[in-house]
Amino acid sequence: MVAATSGFDVAVIGAGIVGCAIARRFAIDGARVVILERGHDVLDGASKGNSAILHTGFDAPAGSLELDCIRAGHAEYLQIHQRMNLPLDRAGALVLAWDEEQQTALPALMAQARANGVTDIQPMERADLLQAEPHLAPEIRAGFRVPGEALIDPWSAAHAYLYQAIAHGAELRCRAEVTSARRLADRWDLHSGAGQVQAGLVVNAAGLWGDHVQRLLTGESWFQIRPRKGQFVVFDKPAAALARHILLPVPTAVTKGVVVCRTVYGNLLVGPTAEEQDDPDCATLVPETLDALRQTGIRILPALAGQEITAAYAGLRPATDEKGYRIRADLSQGLVTVGGIRSTGLSAALGIASHVAALAGGQSARQPQHWPQMPVLAEGGARDWRAPGNQGLVCHCEKVSRREIEAALTAPAPANSLGGLKRRTRVTMGRCQGFYCSAELARMTEGRFTQPLTGGGGDAG
Amino acid sequence: MQADVAIIGAGPAGLAAATVLARLGFTQVVVIEREAQPGGIPRHCGHSPFGMREFRRVLRGPAYADRLAAAARAVGVRIMCDTTATALLPGPVLELSTPAGIAQLAARAVLLATGTRESSRIQRMIGGQKPGGILTLGALQGMVHLNGQRPFSRPVVLGTELVSFSALLTCRQAGIHPVAMVEPGCNVIARGPSWALPRLLGVPLMMQSRITEILGRDRVEAVQIVGPDGTRRIATDGVLLTGAFRSEAGLLAMAGIAMDPDTTGPVIDSFGRLDQPGYFAAGNLLRPVETAGACWAEGQRAAEAIAAYLSGALPDREQGAELQIVGDAIRYALPQIILPARPGWHDRVQLRLARAARGELRLTQMGRIIARRRINARPERRITLSLPAGVTAAPLVLTLDERG
Ligand SMILES: Cc1cc2nc3c(=O)[nH]c(=O)nc-3n(C[C@H](O)[C@H](O)[C@H](O)COP(=O)(O)OP(=O)(O)OC[C@H]3O[C@@H](n4cnc5c(N)ncnc54)[C@H](O)[C@@H]3O)c2cc1C
Ligand SMILES: Cc1cc2nc3c(=O)[nH]c(=O)nc-3n(C[C@H](O)[C@H](O)[C@H](O)COP(=O)(O)OP(=O)(O)OC[C@H]3O[C@@H](n4cnc5c(N)ncnc54)[C@H](O)[C@@H]3O)c2cc1C
């Protein structure tokens, strides 16, 4: 067991994208930060599966904290991404109307976008759309373009925030589920799977477990998480050429709807669904739903009919009983709650972090001293397989080199599970889903994961 | 870099082709292999029998792989391991990823022999969670035979193809005890004595059953199976997906080479030629699966075809007749474009059925039957139809007359 540690200024509970961004902000600002994560590895909650879109906030609720955080987060990502090698595909989005009702909703949406400060949108007629997207189904009626919507790598972004936090002295503990908490006179005493931690300020960034952690800390929760599942299908690389923009439907009251877009890794994804459920821990794939998604994709881009699906995944949004973000600070209690970061947390994370730092009385004024260099995973970028000394490829579908895997296993926050290694390198995520590389991976990672690949019970486990 | 012939894939097909080409006098034959060692799939097959046709001996996979590689090297073939072909460019020119970075290799002809792989869980549309412990047999064999590891101890095995039964043997060797073998169809797909193996090993065989859901967060904990007796949940710590092969053809798709959705491989003509100049294909890349010996023989034929091509002795691909499949009984057939006989010619049509069927298989040209054969077969069974040497370039139609 890890010995008791005192003397942290800030303990962040949860290493999702939001927790990582918050830890980064506090660490850069000079605080002594500890991040406690329940999983074997970081990003194992809501942040594991999303659409990977860096939103502008054009359709966010007017005047909301969410809109402010998205806009600030988007802007800061643009400022810092190059310094850390983070990809940015400025694809732009097309909001598409397929029937009359949707078409009549367009002017109001465009007005909202402008009111939200997204003033560079461009209305588009059917002919413009078909010219901009030659593979779009001919039934398309009208739409508008949002040039600022972009595609990013949801994982390397979060890892970059985390690594930068660590470079500024933050400490990450995985398999450190906070199980009980005690408020002392001027600080918190937290018990976790990785020992006891004392800190002046606790930030609850537990995502899908936010209400649960809130109850652990204060005995009750003023918000309730209602996980909303989103399933996706991923088409193989040749399909990526079929869509230039992020293709968005006219949103409904409940959901942004099913998106069709490339990924920075060069695939094409269709999703997500929006399905309410109770369990924050279980995102199941349902073949019928995946097939329906495929059909939706084909209705939008008919040429998808001949393309191969290589993967499917599901994520859970930490939605709550209300629409907005549930961020609240109680400094007399030494607690900031960052709950309900529903469906825009990837875009908003850096903005949320600044907001939280401000709530805690910080200035967010310092500039980072260290800029970790993230491995380039984006298709068409300076990938390691093109570089000398890569030590050969291990995963052939995603072209992941032996050197990249070694680097992920020895990074400041090393991969502790196959899931963690996938998110850091994309290993096994391609069309063969591990047929070729599983054996080599099992060999390379033997004894190095806290959740081993060959963990199959019995005495070999 | 420059070569006479570049071959991608050092499996039985690629190594056989390389050996023949070198024997035919080509001095610069290069085989590109992404793995650290040549040999292809047999390298991870700890079991026999391999090599009957090639070496007239019964060999285990790794020994067979070694012999193929040694034979190629003995005649001067250069095998470049740890080298991945990453793009096929016109020329032909290959883009390669090597440990020393990116490189290009120009060749007078290129043979693609990249083999096959098993369908993944998503390609089989199995629902549920995504825990660890879901493997294809290819992955398991690597772990067991190359690493001496044991990724699970009581998995459910999906499939009853020939490889599914070698899966049972691999499991046995590794001290893994499958809790069930599951087959969606009403018959075991593999033929012959394999039927008896599950009973012999004490593995219950569940027919007409589908795995509908996988459960477990970190590791597989259970699967849900729907069968004739309804829905059952079986506790297990792994899922082993076997068979349901598809071609390892991503490289071709990215290069815009014409593909056949039925075989999952490239469209070839009678000489194994593709629709981009200088490119040929052989081995399991051509269709879901064949034995090592069949792939080896196909590699040899491809070598002859390439030699003829390089001496200008092949007719234009455009002169070939497209093979049309009529009816729903035939799942696929190749070559898809048929030309008159020459060296390296595919002298027979290879096909598989989509369902169990019997009747007369007929190949007609301009209303005239030019080849026929009676069959009574199930889906995975190998069926061939010999082509007469005098086949001409007129359209060809393949049918199964089920009354016959
Ligand atoms: C389908 C889908 C599509 C989306 N698309 C987009 C998009 O395109 N663009 C965008 O901007 N956003 C998108 N999002 C939203 C975004 O993914 C989320 O807002 C974001 O991931 C939320 O992150 P988080 O850090 O708040 O939560 P989480 O990622 O859930 O992180 C919380 C962490 O806390 C840990 N934890 C929980 N309890 C404890 C405990 N007791 N002790 C220690 N650790 C604990 C968990 O293990 C977890 O790692 C999408 C979300 C989904 C599901
Ligand atoms: C699990 C399993 C068990 C089998 N068991 C048997 C058996 O018992 N008996 C039997 O006869 N057959 C068996 N087979 C069938 C076997 O695949 C074939 O018999 C034979 O290996 C096919 O030979 P090949 O040369 O076409 O392809 P492969 O043996 O598959 O060789 C293809 C080679 O190409 C390489 N390659 C692919 N892409 C690239 C690239 N882009 N760059 C560089 N190199 C590349 C691969 O690494 C591989 O080495 C089995 C197949 C599997 C999957």
Side-chain angles (χ1 to χ4, degrees):
Chain A
M1 272 278 94
V2 183
T5 328
S6 51
F8 288 106
D9 298 317
V10 183
V12 178
I13 303 178
I17 180 128
V18 173
C20 290
I22 292 171
R24 168 184 178 269
R25 187 70 263 164
F26 277 113
I28 290 172
D29 288 345
R32 288 162 303 166
V33 178
V34 66
I35 311 156
L36 301 171
E37 167 55 48
R38 162 187 188 264
H40 282 268
D41 212 324
V42 304
L43 309 181
D44 201 27
S47 304
K48 153 163 77 180
N50 56 46
S51 316
I53 301 172
L54 185 67
H55 293 298
T56 53
F58 79 90
D59 59 347
S64 63
L65 173 62
E66 181 179 5
L67 174 61
D68 291 345
C69 290
I70 293 174
R71 292 186 60 77
H74 188 120
E76 191 173 352
Y77 187 87
L78 294 197
Q79 266 170 34
I80 67 172
H81 77 99
Q82 268 169 342
R83 302 275 316 252
M84 296 197 279
N85 266 342
L86 296 175
L88 176 71
D89 177 344
R90 297 176 186 261
L94 298 180
V95 179
L96 301 173
W98 295 93
D99 59 30
E100 200 174 325
E101 193 187 331
Q102 291 170 2
Q103 199 170 351
T104 30
L106 289 177
L109 276 174
M110 287 192 276
Q112 184 187 8
R114 293 194 189 97
N116 282 359
V118 184
T119 51
D120 57 353
I121 55 165
Q122 302 144 359
M124 289 173 89
E125 308 275 318
R126 178 171 183 275
D128 307 332
L129 289 169
L130 289 172
Q131 195 183 358
E133 285 294 347
H135 295 282
L136 209 56
E139 296 81 49
I140 187 64
R141 296 172 76 108
F144 63 94
R145 196 170 112 85
V146 191
E149 296 271 308
L151 296 164
I152 65 173
D153 175 345
W155 302 314
S156 69
H159 289 128
Y161 308 160
L162 176 67
Y163 291 0
Q164 201 168 26
I166 291 173
H168 288 84
E171 193 181 310
L172 169 71
R173 295 191 189 171
C174 290
R175 291 194 295 164
E177 176 170 1
V178 174
T179 48
S180 69
R182 202 156 48 109
R183 179 76 187 143
L184 308 176
D186 59 344
R187 62 211 141 92
W188 284 93
D189 187 21
L190 304 175
H191 281 259
S192 83
Q196 196 178 353
V197 164
Q198 296 197 344
L201 180 74
V202 164
V203 180
N204 170 6
L208 292 159
W209 295 267
D211 54 350
H212 174 74
V213 166
Q214 192 68 16
R215 277 190 291 275
L216 276 180
L217 292 166
T218 66
E220 60 184 350
S221 179
W222 46 275
F223 62 100
Q224 204 189 337
I225 295 289
R226 304 227 172 111
R228 189 177 298 151
K229 182 169 75 174
Q231 301 185 55
F232 294 86
V233 291
V234 183
F235 286 84
D236 203 359
K237 313 235 173 208
L242 298 178
R244 296 174 184 167
H245 292 83
I246 301 162
L247 305 177
L248 304 172
V250 168
T252 70
V254 190
T255 164
K256 287 176 179 296
V258 173
V259 179
V260 176
C261 65
R262 314 191 274 270
T263 67
V264 295
Y265 319 113
N267 319 80
L268 184 107
L269 60 81
V270 180
T273 54
E275 308 165 57
E276 309 282 339
Q277 68 175 50
D278 294 327
D279 188 349
D281 214 11
C282 174
T284 53
L285 297 170
V286 181
E288 293 74 23
T289 314
L290 299 178
D291 195 52
L293 280 174
R294 182 170 169 272
Q295 297 305 335
T296 304
I298 292 171
R299 271 202 299 283
I300 296 168
L301 295 176
L304 274 181
Q307 301 286 332
E308 198 172 333
I309 289 179
T310 56
Y313 64 95
L316 296 176
R317 305 168 183 88
T320 70
D321 41 332
E322 275 176 31
K323 209 169 176 203
Y325 286 179
R326 314 302 286 274
I327 302 181
R328 197 183 275 183
D330 181 349
L331 295 188
S332 66
Q333 279 234 62
L335 176 63
V336 182
T337 304
V338 187
I341 311 304
R342 200 170 33 110
S343 55
T344 48
L346 175 63
S347 312
L350 295 169
I352 294 170
S354 294
H355 178 68
V356 167
L359 289 179
Q363 300 297 315
S364 290
R366 288 209 209 176
Q367 286 304 307
Q369 310 287 305
H370 308 282
W371 292 95
Q373 294 303 295
M374 302 309 290
V376 176
L377 299 181
E379 183 84 353
R383 296 278 317 268
D384 199 46
W385 62 267
R386 298 178 160 275
N390 62 52
Q391 297 166 29
L393 298 193
V394 173
C395 167
H396 302 292
C397 302
E398 293 296 325
K399 303 199 188 87
V400 184
S401 74
R402 196 164 272 107
R403 177 166 67 183
E404 285 175 299
I405 293 171
E406 277 299 337
L409 292 171
T410 51
N416 287 328
S417 66
L418 179 59
L421 189 62
K422 283 180 173 185
R423 295 190 286 270
R424 286 175 180 79
T425 62
R426 290 200 52 75
V427 76
T428 76
M429 297 185 84
R431 59 185 77 89
C432 93
Q433 296 275 298
F435 174 85
Y436 274 97
C437 60
S438 293
E440 178 64 3
L441 267 184
R443 201 187 56 71
M444 287 185 77
T445 60
E446 198 161 17
R448 301 176 81 168
F449 283 164
T450 56
Q451 190 190 340
L453 258 178
T454 53
D459 48 16
Chain B
M1 278 193 294
Q2 194 83 37
D4 288 323
V5 183
I7 297 171
I8 308 179
L15 291 173
T19 308
V20 171
L21 281 161
R23 284 198 190 122
L24 289 174
F26 293 95
T27 49
Q28 295 200 46
V29 179
V30 178
V31 183
I32 307 300
E33 173 54 53
R34 61 193 185 181
E35 300 279 326
Q37 258 122 47
I41 294 285
R43 210 165 57 84
H44 342 156
C45 291
H47 53 82
S48 45
F50 286 95
M52 293 289 288
R53 186 164 180 175
E54 304 86 325
F55 304 113
R56 311 213 172 283
R57 306 185 39 170
V58 176
L59 298 169
R60 281 159 43 105
Y64 169 70
D66 286 349
R67 281 185 78 141
L68 289 175
R73 284 182 173 129
V75 289
V77 169
R78 177 163 171 227
I79 305 177
M80 289 174 66
C81 289
D82 283 319
T83 304
T84 307
T86 46
L88 310 177
L89 309 172
V93 171
L94 305 180
E95 181 195 62
L96 305 178
S97 167
T98 79
I102 203 122
Q104 287 207 335
L105 172 63
R108 295 168 63 202
V110 169
L111 176 67
L112 305 175
T114 51
T116 183
R117 63 172 194 268
E118 292 161 293
S119 294
S120 66
R121 174 243 178 118
I122 192 60
Q123 285 153 349
R124 298 165 187 258
M125 276 292 171
I126 301 173
Q129 292 170 271
K130 292 180 79 177
I134 306 168
L135 296 178
T136 53
L137 174 60
L140 176 72
Q141 285 189 328
M143 288 186 188
V144 169
H145 297 307
L146 302 180
N147 303 350
Q149 293 169 323
R150 194 172 75 162
F152 39 49
S153 51
R154 24 178 206 96
V156 167
V157 179
L158 176 63
T160 58
E161 294 177 39
L162 211 50
V163 285
S164 318
F165 295 95
S166 42
L168 295 185
L169 296 177
T170 297
C171 285
R172 196 166 98 117
Q173 234 175 324
I176 295 168
H177 304 282
V179 290
M181 190 171 194
V182 179
E183 166 58 44
C186 13
N187 290 308
V188 166
I189 291 174
R191 287 180 307 152
S194 0
W195 274 91
L197 197 58
R199 189 168 322 137
L200 217 65
L201 297 175
V203 180
L205 188 56
M206 301 175 70
M207 301 303 301
Q208 285 177 279
S209 299
R210 289 183 311 125
I211 301 179
T212 53
E213 208 177 327
I214 298 175
L215 301 142
R217 187 181 148 79
D218 290 341
R219 303 282 318 171
V220 174
E221 287 162 22
V223 296
Q224 181 161 295
I225 295 180
V226 175
D229 310 326
T231 302
R232 279 170 66 180
R233 185 161 289 197
I234 297 187
T236 178
D237 67 349
V239 177
L240 181 57
L241 308 166
T242 68
F245 287 94
R246 55 177 62 217
S247 303
E248 179 66 4
L251 202 51
L252 289 74
M254 286 307 282
I257 287 174
M259 305 292 289
D260 177 348
D262 299 331
T263 60
T264 72
V267 171
I268 57 163
D269 72 7
S270 294
F271 305 100
R273 239 181 333 188
L274 311 185
D275 69 343
Q276 298 202 5
Y279 282 99
F280 290 74
N284 270 342
L285 170 64
L286 299 186
R287 84 247 107 192
V289 82
E290 262 297 350
T291 61
C295 294
W296 175 84
E298 217 163 51
Q300 294 193 316
R301 258 201 317 267
E304 287 171 33
I306 289 171
Y309 164 78
L310 291 177
S311 65
L314 290 193
D316 281 348
R317 198 169 180 272
E318 287 65 44
Q319 289 168 19
E322 209 174 300
L323 181 67
Q324 293 165 10
I325 301 173
V326 171
D328 64 353
I330 299 168
R331 176 153 70 103
Y332 69 75
L334 63 104
Q336 295 84 349
I337 296 171
I338 294 180
L339 285 142
R342 293 286 163 94
W345 193 56
H346 277 261
D347 60 356
R348 56 197 69 190
V349 174
Q350 308 174 26
L351 60 113
R352 290 282 194 284
L353 297 184
R355 52 182 168 80
R358 67 202 300 179
E360 189 176 67
L361 208 54
R362 289 181 193 152
L363 187 63
T364 53
Q365 193 166 46
M366 298 173 53
R368 195 167 60 89
I369 298 178
I370 61 161
R372 67 199 323 164
R373 187 183 157 183
R374 299 199 68 78
I375 57 160
N376 175 9
R378 291 210 303 265
E380 284 309 314
R381 173 136 173 240
R382 175 192 314 160
I383 301 170
T384 59
L385 188 63
S386 292
L387 284 167
V391 60
T392 67
L396 285 160
V397 180
L398 184 66
T399 51
L400 178 64
D401 180 0
E402 294 190 63
R403 289 161 308 166

